[in-house]
């Protein structure tokens, strides 16, 4: 195998995607953004005017679209059927609906199959809500990345401000994140939960670089075993 399977799970806005990208870059691994895949299905359903609570209709969307990734700076680019959706999948409308879509059993089954196929060759960093528990239960490295709800809201608020998105207050963002945590933790299919063999890493008081260094040290230790 070319490298290890690295699973990074945790709640919304804990910094999983940012950290996963940097870890993948450091080790020359492939990065698979599972959250972007569910966001892409959500966006495609919304664009078609589909009610995200219509599970059969949303499942058809998941089965019909092709989600692909391409390297990009400062972030990886995401495409649906060849059309770039990197910014669109981060909209407030997608944020408000993605948990509902991600909880649909048939949608998860479709996405998990695609994710496992990507990870078969190893040398992969994958982040999401259930990578270590459901998608890659045999991953050699499992990280559960957390941070306080306030800190996660603050980071999202600053990110939105930099992008010129200033429609949501810090308090509203924190409330939304807490609702998202509740939805993700209580859903019937693949709820957000820490794998028994995952290492819990609290990033509340750590910089991105410090988190990347911590995870890199864990990978190197496993590689040396």
């Amino acid at each position: 195998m070319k490298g290890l399977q690295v699973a990074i799970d945790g709640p919304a806005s804990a910094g999983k995607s940012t950290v996963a990208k940097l870890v993948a870059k450091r080790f020359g691994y492939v990065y698979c953004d599972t959250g972007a895949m569910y966001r892409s299905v959500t966006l495609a359903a919304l664009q078609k005017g589909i009610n995200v609570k219509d599970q059969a209709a949303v499942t058809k969307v998941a089965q019909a679209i092709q989600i692909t990734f391409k390297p990009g700076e400062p972030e990886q680019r995401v495409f649906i059927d060849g059309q770039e959706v990197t910014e669109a999948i981060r909209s407030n409308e997608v944020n408000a609906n993605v948990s509902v879509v991600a909880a649909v059993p048939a949608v998860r089954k479709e996405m998990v199959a695609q994710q496992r196929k990507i990870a078969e060759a190893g040398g992969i960093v994958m982040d999401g809500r259930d990578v270590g528990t459901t998608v890659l239960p045999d991953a050699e490295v499992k990280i559960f990345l957390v941070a306080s709800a306030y800190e996660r809201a603050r980071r999202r608020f600053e990110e939105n401000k930099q992008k010129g998105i200033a429609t949501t207050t810090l308090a509203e963002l924190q409330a939304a994140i807490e609702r998202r945590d509740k939805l993700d933790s209580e859903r019937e299919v693949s709820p957000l939960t820490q794998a028994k063999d995952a290492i819990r890493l609290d990033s509340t008081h750590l910089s991105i670089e410090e988190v990347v260094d911590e995870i890199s040290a864990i990978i190197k230790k496993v590689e040396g075993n």
Side-chain angles (χ1 to χ4, degrees):
M1 262 179 45
K2 180 202 161 191
L4 308 175
Q5 290 183 351
V6 180
I8 302 177
D9 291 310
S13 301
K16 299 183 302 295
S17 295
T18 301
V19 167
K21 290 170 194 170
L22 292 170
V23 169
K25 195 170 184 180
R26 185 173 289 191
F27 286 86
Y29 282 10
V30 172
Y31 167 60
C32 179
D33 184 351
T34 63
M37 295 174 77
Y38 289 106
R39 286 175 174 276
S40 296
V41 175
T42 304
L43 177 66
L46 291 171
Q47 287 178 336
K48 293 176 186 293
I50 291 170
N51 184 332
V52 296
K53 292 181 181 177
D54 185 340
Q55 296 195 4
V58 171
T59 299
K60 283 183 180 177
V61 171
Q63 294 168 337
I65 64 173
Q66 182 182 20
I67 303 164
T68 53
F69 301 101
K70 287 184 182 177
E73 289 296 339
E75 60 184 337
Q76 183 168 249
R77 298 163 68 199
V78 187
F79 298 81
I80 297 176
D81 297 330
Q83 181 179 353
E84 184 164 6
V85 294
T86 309
E87 289 291 333
I89 62 171
R90 304 290 170 185
S91 70
N92 286 336
E93 190 178 15
V94 171
N95 285 343
N97 290 283
V98 66
S99 284
V100 177
V101 172
V104 178
V107 171
R108 298 201 73 82
K109 185 178 178 181
E110 177 66 27
M111 294 297 105
V112 167
Q114 290 188 33
Q115 292 154 14
R116 284 177 176 159
K117 192 169 183 180
I118 293 169
E120 277 176 359
I124 181 103
V125 180
M126 195 177 291
D127 72 280
R129 303 287 191 281
D130 63 346
V131 181
T133 53
T134 303
V135 185
L136 302 177
D138 298 322
E140 294 91 343
V141 175
K142 296 180 185 179
I143 306 295
F144 196 75
L145 187 64
V146 299
S148 70
Y150 172 79
E151 176 60 19
R152 286 182 282 144
R154 188 195 65 75
R155 291 172 186 172
R156 180 60 62 86
F157 183 76
E158 291 300 325
E159 185 180 302
N160 286 350
K161 202 159 69 170
Q162 287 175 8
K163 290 181 177 178
I165 307 168
T167 56
T168 313
T169 67
L170 180 57
E172 287 169 339
L173 278 173
Q174 183 172 344
I177 281 173
E178 288 168 347
R179 283 195 301 272
R180 178 77 183 273
D181 286 350
K182 186 171 166 52
L183 274 170
D184 287 344
S185 299
E186 294 178 356
R187 69 185 179 211
E188 289 183 24
V189 180
S190 296
L192 170 66
T193 184
Q194 181 175 337
K196 289 179 181 178
D197 54 346
I199 296 170
R200 188 180 185 89
L201 183 55
D202 191 334
S203 70
T204 302
H205 303 296
L206 297 176
S207 67
I208 289 170
E209 193 63 30
E210 286 171 331
V211 174
V212 172
D213 286 344
E214 291 256 10
I215 295 174
S216 297
I218 293 165
I219 294 171
K220 286 175 183 174
K221 185 177 179 181
V222 173
E223 281 181 333
N225 290 342

